[in-house]
Amino acid sequence: RAKAQGKNYWKVYSDQVDDTERSDLSLESAMYEGIENGEFMLHYQPIFCTQTGQLKGAEALMRWQNPSRGFVSPMKFIPLAENSGLIKILGAWALRSACYQAKQWQEAGLKDFYISVNVSPRQFVQEDFLDMIHKALNESGLLPGNLMLEITEGVLMENPQRSGAVLTQLHVAGVKIAIDDFGTGYSSLAYLKRFPLSVLKIDKSFVDDVVNSAEDMAIVGTILSLAEGLNLLVVAEGVENDAQLGFLRQEGCNLVQGYLTGRPVHSDAFKEKYMA
Ligand code: C2E
Ligand code: MG
Ligand code: MG
Ligand code: MG
């Protein structure tokens, strides 16, 4: 009886594993098809100066709308694309599209506008990563100083030696680097001074409760003074209400991004909303 139960247990367990693998596989092949069929696109979320209210840039965020699956969250498909290697194709496409779009908006009147593009760990260690960046810049005509790459702390920590070399070359080329979701990964403060960074993005989880929680206030305050001392700009992400914005502005946070000031939207809507 115990044996039967055990067997039963394992059977159930292994079925679950099979199901997960199967659905990952089918999602993966749906992604391949989706790339061919043009189901992927970028949305853009505005980033504003807290002091002047001026539009400074936008983060490009990938969207996948599949005819049978509907909208699939990047939280779901990005990790899968990472594991399967598809991120190389998607990442290169996102980078090129974002650079072209930013250049177009600049020509239509957005002066000094920057575009922020997420770079996943696997992309960052690609041998041809720097070539890809240069190509996207050259072909679009976007100035390197108007491109910001968002990486996470994990990317830096995994292979600091190599990351340092890549970051240095990007810095020499004039491309800006932001640390995304800052405060949520394992980071070493030493890297903040060693690597040529421009921006820290305070993770939404610290912003959510910053008005009421003494702990979050302390964390955000510490990130802001750290950034000031290291000469970095700070973007607060996930700002949803006026109280948060008021606090961040008062504490000297330079830039904000969130549903309060603007959700991620299609490029047409972005143009309509934010361009004269
Ligand atoms: P992320 O880079 O930290 O992007 C910010 C996420 O917060 C976005 O989610 C954005 O829509 C969301 N957000 C912004 N403001 C608010 C707010 O006020 N409230 C709430 N609730 N959410 C807000 P999204 O677009 O679902 O993307 C999730 C993650 O997927 C991104 O987090 C990023 O890690 C990844 N991702 C998205 N696009 C790309 C891409 O092109 N390449 C790579 N490698 N990763 C991407
Ligand atoms: Mg990001
Ligand atoms: Mg982020
Ligand atoms: Mg985040």
Side-chain angles (χ1 to χ4, degrees), residues 8 18 41 52 54 73-74 78 87 91 118 161 168 170 176 199 203 210 225 229 232 258:
N8 208 4
D18 282 355
M41 63 170 166
T52 65
Q54 196 194 351
S73 167
I78 294 282
I87 194 68
N118 293 284
Q161 201 97 21
T168 300
L170 288 168
K176 304 282 186 7
V199 163
D203 192 66
V210 75
S225 49
L232 303 171

mmCIF file with all atom_site columns, all heavy atoms in Angstrom, residues 8 18 41 52 54 73-74 78 87 91 118 161 168 170 176 199 203 210 225 229 232 258:
data_model
loop_
_atom_site.group_PDB
_atom_site.id
_atom_site.type_symbol
_atom_site.label_atom_id
_atom_site.label_alt_id
_atom_site.label_comp_id
_atom_site.label_asym_id
_atom_site.label_entity_id
_atom_site.label_seq_id
_atom_site.pdbx_PDB_ins_code
_atom_site.Cartn_x
_atom_site.Cartn_y
_atom_site.Cartn_z
_atom_site.occupancy
_atom_site.B_iso_or_equiv
_atom_site.pdbx_formal_charge
_atom_site.auth_seq_id
_atom_site.auth_comp_id
_atom_site.auth_asym_id
_atom_site.auth_atom_id
_atom_site.pdbx_PDB_model_num
ATOM 1   N N   . ASN A 1 8   ? 2.416  6.091  -6.952  1.00 0.00 ? 8   ASN A N   1
ATOM 2   C CA  . ASN A 1 8   ? 1.433  7.071  -7.358  1.00 0.00 ? 8   ASN A CA  1
ATOM 3   C C   . ASN A 1 8   ? 1.997  8.495  -7.283  1.00 0.00 ? 8   ASN A C   1
ATOM 4   O O   . ASN A 1 8   ? 1.861  9.295  -8.192  1.00 0.00 ? 8   ASN A O   1
ATOM 5   C CB  . ASN A 1 8   ? 0.229  6.953  -6.420  1.00 0.00 ? 8   ASN A CB  1
ATOM 6   C CG  . ASN A 1 8   ? -1.041 7.400  -7.124  1.00 0.00 ? 8   ASN A CG  1
ATOM 7   O OD1 . ASN A 1 8   ? -0.991 7.703  -8.311  1.00 0.00 ? 8   ASN A OD1 1
ATOM 8   N ND2 . ASN A 1 8   ? -2.124 7.433  -6.409  1.00 0.00 ? 8   ASN A ND2 1
ATOM 9   N N   . ASP A 1 18  ? 6.682  16.722 -16.835 1.00 0.00 ? 18  ASP A N   1
ATOM 10  C CA  . ASP A 1 18  ? 6.479  16.598 -18.275 1.00 0.00 ? 18  ASP A CA  1
ATOM 11  C C   . ASP A 1 18  ? 5.591  17.723 -18.810 1.00 0.00 ? 18  ASP A C   1
ATOM 12  O O   . ASP A 1 18  ? 5.864  18.300 -19.835 1.00 0.00 ? 18  ASP A O   1
ATOM 13  C CB  . ASP A 1 18  ? 5.810  15.255 -18.614 1.00 0.00 ? 18  ASP A CB  1
ATOM 14  C CG  . ASP A 1 18  ? 6.834  14.134 -18.569 1.00 0.00 ? 18  ASP A CG  1
ATOM 15  O OD1 . ASP A 1 18  ? 8.026  14.439 -18.383 1.00 0.00 ? 18  ASP A OD1 1
ATOM 16  O OD2 . ASP A 1 18  ? 6.434  12.971 -18.709 1.00 0.00 ? 18  ASP A OD2 1
ATOM 17  N N   . MET A 1 41  ? 6.304  43.297 -30.391 1.00 0.00 ? 41  MET A N   1
ATOM 18  C CA  . MET A 1 41  ? 6.530  44.724 -30.597 1.00 0.00 ? 41  MET A CA  1
ATOM 19  C C   . MET A 1 41  ? 7.019  45.380 -29.315 1.00 0.00 ? 41  MET A C   1
ATOM 20  O O   . MET A 1 41  ? 7.084  44.757 -28.271 1.00 0.00 ? 41  MET A O   1
ATOM 21  C CB  . MET A 1 41  ? 5.284  45.387 -31.122 1.00 0.00 ? 41  MET A CB  1
ATOM 22  C CG  . MET A 1 41  ? 4.122  45.338 -30.214 1.00 0.00 ? 41  MET A CG  1
ATOM 23  S SD  . MET A 1 41  ? 2.920  46.430 -30.966 1.00 0.00 ? 41  MET A SD  1
ATOM 24  C CE  . MET A 1 41  ? 1.493  45.999 -30.112 1.00 0.00 ? 41  MET A CE  1
ATOM 25  N N   . THR A 1 52  ? 11.517 69.446 -13.170 1.00 0.00 ? 52  THR A N   1
ATOM 26  C CA  . THR A 1 52  ? 10.940 70.294 -14.219 1.00 0.00 ? 52  THR A CA  1
ATOM 27  C C   . THR A 1 52  ? 9.696  69.691 -14.858 1.00 0.00 ? 52  THR A C   1
ATOM 28  O O   . THR A 1 52  ? 8.965  70.378 -15.566 1.00 0.00 ? 52  THR A O   1
ATOM 29  C CB  . THR A 1 52  ? 11.965 70.522 -15.345 1.00 0.00 ? 52  THR A CB  1
ATOM 30  O OG1 . THR A 1 52  ? 12.230 69.249 -15.959 1.00 0.00 ? 52  THR A OG1 1
ATOM 31  C CG2 . THR A 1 52  ? 13.258 71.114 -14.815 1.00 0.00 ? 52  THR A CG2 1
ATOM 32  N N   . GLN A 1 54  ? 9.852  67.717 -17.237 1.00 0.00 ? 54  GLN A N   1
ATOM 33  C CA  . GLN A 1 54  ? 10.189 67.537 -18.645 1.00 0.00 ? 54  GLN A CA  1
ATOM 34  C C   . GLN A 1 54  ? 10.398 66.053 -18.996 1.00 0.00 ? 54  GLN A C   1
ATOM 35  O O   . GLN A 1 54  ? 10.952 65.297 -18.205 1.00 0.00 ? 54  GLN A O   1
ATOM 36  C CB  . GLN A 1 54  ? 11.476 68.317 -18.932 1.00 0.00 ? 54  GLN A CB  1
ATOM 37  C CG  . GLN A 1 54  ? 11.740 68.539 -20.408 1.00 0.00 ? 54  GLN A CG  1
ATOM 38  C CD  . GLN A 1 54  ? 13.179 69.005 -20.675 1.00 0.00 ? 54  GLN A CD  1
ATOM 39  O OE1 . GLN A 1 54  ? 13.925 69.312 -19.736 1.00 0.00 ? 54  GLN A OE1 1
ATOM 40  N NE2 . GLN A 1 54  ? 13.547 69.050 -21.935 1.00 0.00 ? 54  GLN A NE2 1
ATOM 41  N N   . SER A 1 73  ? 2.971  37.843 -20.906 1.00 0.00 ? 73  SER A N   1
ATOM 42  C CA  . SER A 1 73  ? 3.804  38.780 -20.146 1.00 0.00 ? 73  SER A CA  1
ATOM 43  C C   . SER A 1 73  ? 5.292  38.544 -20.399 1.00 0.00 ? 73  SER A C   1
ATOM 44  O O   . SER A 1 73  ? 5.745  37.399 -20.464 1.00 0.00 ? 73  SER A O   1
ATOM 45  C CB  . SER A 1 73  ? 3.521  38.623 -18.655 1.00 0.00 ? 73  SER A CB  1
ATOM 46  O OG  . SER A 1 73  ? 4.522  39.297 -17.908 1.00 0.00 ? 73  SER A OG  1
ATOM 47  N N   . PRO A 1 74  ? 6.055  39.628 -20.495 1.00 0.00 ? 74  PRO A N   1
ATOM 48  C CA  . PRO A 1 74  ? 7.513  39.479 -20.624 1.00 0.00 ? 74  PRO A CA  1
ATOM 49  C C   . PRO A 1 74  ? 8.126  38.734 -19.430 1.00 0.00 ? 74  PRO A C   1
ATOM 50  O O   . PRO A 1 74  ? 9.157  38.090 -19.571 1.00 0.00 ? 74  PRO A O   1
ATOM 51  C CB  . PRO A 1 74  ? 8.033  40.909 -20.718 1.00 0.00 ? 74  PRO A CB  1
ATOM 52  C CG  . PRO A 1 74  ? 6.904  41.798 -20.401 1.00 0.00 ? 74  PRO A CG  1
ATOM 53  C CD  . PRO A 1 74  ? 5.638  41.032 -20.555 1.00 0.00 ? 74  PRO A CD  1
ATOM 54  N N   . ILE A 1 78  ? 10.401 36.269 -21.404 1.00 0.00 ? 78  ILE A N   1
ATOM 55  C CA  . ILE A 1 78  ? 11.821 36.660 -21.413 1.00 0.00 ? 78  ILE A CA  1
ATOM 56  C C   . ILE A 1 78  ? 12.717 35.562 -20.793 1.00 0.00 ? 78  ILE A C   1
ATOM 57  O O   . ILE A 1 78  ? 13.715 35.176 -21.396 1.00 0.00 ? 78  ILE A O   1
ATOM 58  C CB  . ILE A 1 78  ? 12.060 38.024 -20.721 1.00 0.00 ? 78  ILE A CB  1
ATOM 59  C CG1 . ILE A 1 78  ? 11.390 39.151 -21.503 1.00 0.00 ? 78  ILE A CG1 1
ATOM 60  C CG2 . ILE A 1 78  ? 13.545 38.296 -20.528 1.00 0.00 ? 78  ILE A CG2 1
ATOM 61  C CD1 . ILE A 1 78  ? 12.106 39.620 -22.753 1.00 0.00 ? 78  ILE A CD1 1
ATOM 62  N N   . ILE A 1 87  ? 16.608 34.850 -27.082 1.00 0.00 ? 87  ILE A N   1
ATOM 63  C CA  . ILE A 1 87  ? 16.805 36.225 -26.631 1.00 0.00 ? 87  ILE A CA  1
ATOM 64  C C   . ILE A 1 87  ? 17.782 36.963 -27.539 1.00 0.00 ? 87  ILE A C   1
ATOM 65  O O   . ILE A 1 87  ? 17.724 38.180 -27.670 1.00 0.00 ? 87  ILE A O   1
ATOM 66  C CB  . ILE A 1 87  ? 17.291 36.267 -25.152 1.00 0.00 ? 87  ILE A CB  1
ATOM 67  C CG1 . ILE A 1 87  ? 17.181 37.678 -24.569 1.00 0.00 ? 87  ILE A CG1 1
ATOM 68  C CG2 . ILE A 1 87  ? 18.724 35.767 -25.017 1.00 0.00 ? 87  ILE A CG2 1
ATOM 69  C CD1 . ILE A 1 87  ? 15.784 38.175 -24.367 1.00 0.00 ? 87  ILE A CD1 1
ATOM 70  N N   . GLY A 1 91  ? 16.470 40.230 -28.662 1.00 0.00 ? 91  GLY A N   1
ATOM 71  C CA  . GLY A 1 91  ? 17.238 41.333 -28.088 1.00 0.00 ? 91  GLY A CA  1
ATOM 72  C C   . GLY A 1 91  ? 17.816 42.236 -29.178 1.00 0.00 ? 91  GLY A C   1
ATOM 73  O O   . GLY A 1 91  ? 17.766 43.466 -29.061 1.00 0.00 ? 91  GLY A O   1
ATOM 74  N N   . ASN A 1 118 ? 16.394 47.200 -22.139 1.00 0.00 ? 118 ASN A N   1
ATOM 75  C CA  . ASN A 1 118 ? 16.786 46.132 -21.214 1.00 0.00 ? 118 ASN A CA  1
ATOM 76  C C   . ASN A 1 118 ? 17.703 45.128 -21.899 1.00 0.00 ? 118 ASN A C   1
ATOM 77  O O   . ASN A 1 118 ? 17.444 44.706 -23.022 1.00 0.00 ? 118 ASN A O   1
ATOM 78  C CB  . ASN A 1 118 ? 15.551 45.388 -20.702 1.00 0.00 ? 118 ASN A CB  1
ATOM 79  C CG  . ASN A 1 118 ? 14.693 46.266 -19.813 1.00 0.00 ? 118 ASN A CG  1
ATOM 80  O OD1 . ASN A 1 118 ? 15.029 46.515 -18.653 1.00 0.00 ? 118 ASN A OD1 1
ATOM 81  N ND2 . ASN A 1 118 ? 13.591 46.758 -20.357 1.00 0.00 ? 118 ASN A ND2 1
ATOM 82  N N   . GLN A 1 161 ? 34.732 40.328 -14.082 1.00 0.00 ? 161 GLN A N   1
ATOM 83  C CA  . GLN A 1 161 ? 35.878 40.629 -14.937 1.00 0.00 ? 161 GLN A CA  1
ATOM 84  C C   . GLN A 1 161 ? 35.413 40.984 -16.345 1.00 0.00 ? 161 GLN A C   1
ATOM 85  O O   . GLN A 1 161 ? 35.733 42.033 -16.893 1.00 0.00 ? 161 GLN A O   1
ATOM 86  C CB  . GLN A 1 161 ? 36.781 39.390 -15.003 1.00 0.00 ? 161 GLN A CB  1
ATOM 87  C CG  . GLN A 1 161 ? 38.194 39.695 -15.407 1.00 0.00 ? 161 GLN A CG  1
ATOM 88  C CD  . GLN A 1 161 ? 39.084 39.824 -14.167 1.00 0.00 ? 161 GLN A CD  1
ATOM 89  O OE1 . GLN A 1 161 ? 38.752 39.333 -13.084 1.00 0.00 ? 161 GLN A OE1 1
ATOM 90  N NE2 . GLN A 1 161 ? 40.221 40.490 -14.323 1.00 0.00 ? 161 GLN A NE2 1
ATOM 91  N N   . THR A 1 168 ? 33.351 48.942 -19.826 1.00 0.00 ? 168 THR A N   1
ATOM 92  C CA  . THR A 1 168 ? 34.364 49.944 -20.151 1.00 0.00 ? 168 THR A CA  1
ATOM 93  C C   . THR A 1 168 ? 34.314 50.297 -21.639 1.00 0.00 ? 168 THR A C   1
ATOM 94  O O   . THR A 1 168 ? 34.365 51.469 -22.012 1.00 0.00 ? 168 THR A O   1
ATOM 95  C CB  . THR A 1 168 ? 35.772 49.446 -19.764 1.00 0.00 ? 168 THR A CB  1
ATOM 96  O OG1 . THR A 1 168 ? 35.773 49.192 -18.357 1.00 0.00 ? 168 THR A OG1 1
ATOM 97  C CG2 . THR A 1 168 ? 36.840 50.471 -20.092 1.00 0.00 ? 168 THR A CG2 1
ATOM 98  N N   . LEU A 1 170 ? 31.729 50.019 -23.605 1.00 0.00 ? 170 LEU A N   1
ATOM 99  C CA  . LEU A 1 170 ? 30.498 50.773 -23.855 1.00 0.00 ? 170 LEU A CA  1
ATOM 100 C C   . LEU A 1 170 ? 30.687 52.229 -23.425 1.00 0.00 ? 170 LEU A C   1
ATOM 101 O O   . LEU A 1 170 ? 30.281 53.157 -24.113 1.00 0.00 ? 170 LEU A O   1
ATOM 102 C CB  . LEU A 1 170 ? 29.326 50.149 -23.089 1.00 0.00 ? 170 LEU A CB  1
ATOM 103 C CG  . LEU A 1 170 ? 28.813 48.818 -23.638 1.00 0.00 ? 170 LEU A CG  1
ATOM 104 C CD1 . LEU A 1 170 ? 27.869 48.160 -22.640 1.00 0.00 ? 170 LEU A CD1 1
ATOM 105 C CD2 . LEU A 1 170 ? 28.109 49.023 -24.982 1.00 0.00 ? 170 LEU A CD2 1
ATOM 106 N N   . LYS A 1 176 ? 25.371 54.804 -22.270 1.00 0.00 ? 176 LYS A N   1
ATOM 107 C CA  . LYS A 1 176 ? 25.114 54.901 -20.834 1.00 0.00 ? 176 LYS A CA  1
ATOM 108 C C   . LYS A 1 176 ? 24.623 53.559 -20.256 1.00 0.00 ? 176 LYS A C   1
ATOM 109 O O   . LYS A 1 176 ? 23.958 52.790 -20.948 1.00 0.00 ? 176 LYS A O   1
ATOM 110 C CB  . LYS A 1 176 ? 24.049 55.972 -20.569 1.00 0.00 ? 176 LYS A CB  1
ATOM 111 C CG  . LYS A 1 176 ? 24.396 57.347 -21.144 1.00 0.00 ? 176 LYS A CG  1
ATOM 112 C CD  . LYS A 1 176 ? 25.395 57.991 -20.248 1.00 0.00 ? 176 LYS A CD  1
ATOM 113 C CE  . LYS A 1 176 ? 25.786 59.422 -20.561 1.00 0.00 ? 176 LYS A CE  1
ATOM 114 N NZ  . LYS A 1 176 ? 25.130 60.184 -21.555 1.00 0.00 ? 176 LYS A NZ  1
ATOM 115 N N   . VAL A 1 199 ? 23.291 55.493 -14.139 1.00 0.00 ? 199 VAL A N   1
ATOM 116 C CA  . VAL A 1 199 ? 21.974 55.569 -13.508 1.00 0.00 ? 199 VAL A CA  1
ATOM 117 C C   . VAL A 1 199 ? 21.705 54.367 -12.603 1.00 0.00 ? 199 VAL A C   1
ATOM 118 O O   . VAL A 1 199 ? 22.084 53.237 -12.930 1.00 0.00 ? 199 VAL A O   1
ATOM 119 C CB  . VAL A 1 199 ? 20.875 55.633 -14.611 1.00 0.00 ? 199 VAL A CB  1
ATOM 120 C CG1 . VAL A 1 199 ? 19.504 55.291 -14.053 1.00 0.00 ? 199 VAL A CG1 1
ATOM 121 C CG2 . VAL A 1 199 ? 20.825 57.012 -15.274 1.00 0.00 ? 199 VAL A CG2 1
ATOM 122 N N   . ASP A 1 203 ? 14.139 49.955 -7.473  1.00 0.00 ? 203 ASP A N   1
ATOM 123 C CA  . ASP A 1 203 ? 13.094 48.987 -7.765  1.00 0.00 ? 203 ASP A CA  1
ATOM 124 C C   . ASP A 1 203 ? 11.747 49.416 -7.201  1.00 0.00 ? 203 ASP A C   1
ATOM 125 O O   . ASP A 1 203 ? 11.650 50.009 -6.126  1.00 0.00 ? 203 ASP A O   1
ATOM 126 C CB  . ASP A 1 203 ? 13.473 47.617 -7.203  1.00 0.00 ? 203 ASP A CB  1
ATOM 127 C CG  . ASP A 1 203 ? 12.542 46.536 -7.744  1.00 0.00 ? 203 ASP A CG  1
ATOM 128 O OD1 . ASP A 1 203 ? 12.580 46.293 -8.963  1.00 0.00 ? 203 ASP A OD1 1
ATOM 129 O OD2 . ASP A 1 203 ? 11.754 45.967 -6.956  1.00 0.00 ? 203 ASP A OD2 1
ATOM 130 N N   . VAL A 1 210 ? 6.888  53.699 0.036   1.00 0.00 ? 210 VAL A N   1
ATOM 131 C CA  . VAL A 1 210 ? 7.909  54.629 0.531   1.00 0.00 ? 210 VAL A CA  1
ATOM 132 C C   . VAL A 1 210 ? 7.323  55.766 1.382   1.00 0.00 ? 210 VAL A C   1
ATOM 133 O O   . VAL A 1 210 ? 7.999  56.312 2.243   1.00 0.00 ? 210 VAL A O   1
ATOM 134 C CB  . VAL A 1 210 ? 8.760  55.198 -0.638  1.00 0.00 ? 210 VAL A CB  1
ATOM 135 C CG1 . VAL A 1 210 ? 7.988  56.235 -1.436  1.00 0.00 ? 210 VAL A CG1 1
ATOM 136 C CG2 . VAL A 1 210 ? 10.076 55.746 -0.133  1.00 0.00 ? 210 VAL A CG2 1
ATOM 137 N N   . SER A 1 225 ? 21.411 59.049 -1.474  1.00 0.00 ? 225 SER A N   1
ATOM 138 C CA  . SER A 1 225 ? 22.663 59.708 -1.072  1.00 0.00 ? 225 SER A CA  1
ATOM 139 C C   . SER A 1 225 ? 23.877 58.964 -1.625  1.00 0.00 ? 225 SER A C   1
ATOM 140 O O   . SER A 1 225 ? 24.880 59.586 -1.974  1.00 0.00 ? 225 SER A O   1
ATOM 141 C CB  . SER A 1 225 ? 22.750 59.939 0.437   1.00 0.00 ? 225 SER A CB  1
ATOM 142 O OG  . SER A 1 225 ? 22.443 58.782 1.139   1.00 0.00 ? 225 SER A OG  1
ATOM 143 N N   . GLY A 1 229 ? 26.696 60.748 -3.984  1.00 0.00 ? 229 GLY A N   1
ATOM 144 C CA  . GLY A 1 229 ? 28.122 60.653 -3.693  1.00 0.00 ? 229 GLY A CA  1
ATOM 145 C C   . GLY A 1 229 ? 28.916 60.052 -4.844  1.00 0.00 ? 229 GLY A C   1
ATOM 146 O O   . GLY A 1 229 ? 30.087 60.375 -5.052  1.00 0.00 ? 229 GLY A O   1
ATOM 147 N N   . LEU A 1 232 ? 25.838 59.562 -9.682  1.00 0.00 ? 232 LEU A N   1
ATOM 148 C CA  . LEU A 1 232 ? 24.928 58.808 -10.555 1.00 0.00 ? 232 LEU A CA  1
ATOM 149 C C   . LEU A 1 232 ? 23.544 59.452 -10.496 1.00 0.00 ? 232 LEU A C   1
ATOM 150 O O   . LEU A 1 232 ? 23.174 60.046 -9.487  1.00 0.00 ? 232 LEU A O   1
ATOM 151 C CB  . LEU A 1 232 ? 24.812 57.359 -10.064 1.00 0.00 ? 232 LEU A CB  1
ATOM 152 C CG  . LEU A 1 232 ? 26.105 56.556 -9.953  1.00 0.00 ? 232 LEU A CG  1
ATOM 153 C CD1 . LEU A 1 232 ? 25.849 55.223 -9.250  1.00 0.00 ? 232 LEU A CD1 1
ATOM 154 C CD2 . LEU A 1 232 ? 26.706 56.324 -11.335 1.00 0.00 ? 232 LEU A CD2 1
ATOM 155 N N   . GLY A 1 258 ? 6.538  55.619 -14.125 1.00 0.00 ? 258 GLY A N   1
ATOM 156 C CA  . GLY A 1 258 ? 5.483  54.854 -13.472 1.00 0.00 ? 258 GLY A CA  1
ATOM 157 C C   . GLY A 1 258 ? 4.122  55.155 -14.061 1.00 0.00 ? 258 GLY A C   1
ATOM 158 O O   . GLY A 1 258 ? 3.981  56.050 -14.901 1.00 0.00 ? 258 GLY A O   1
#
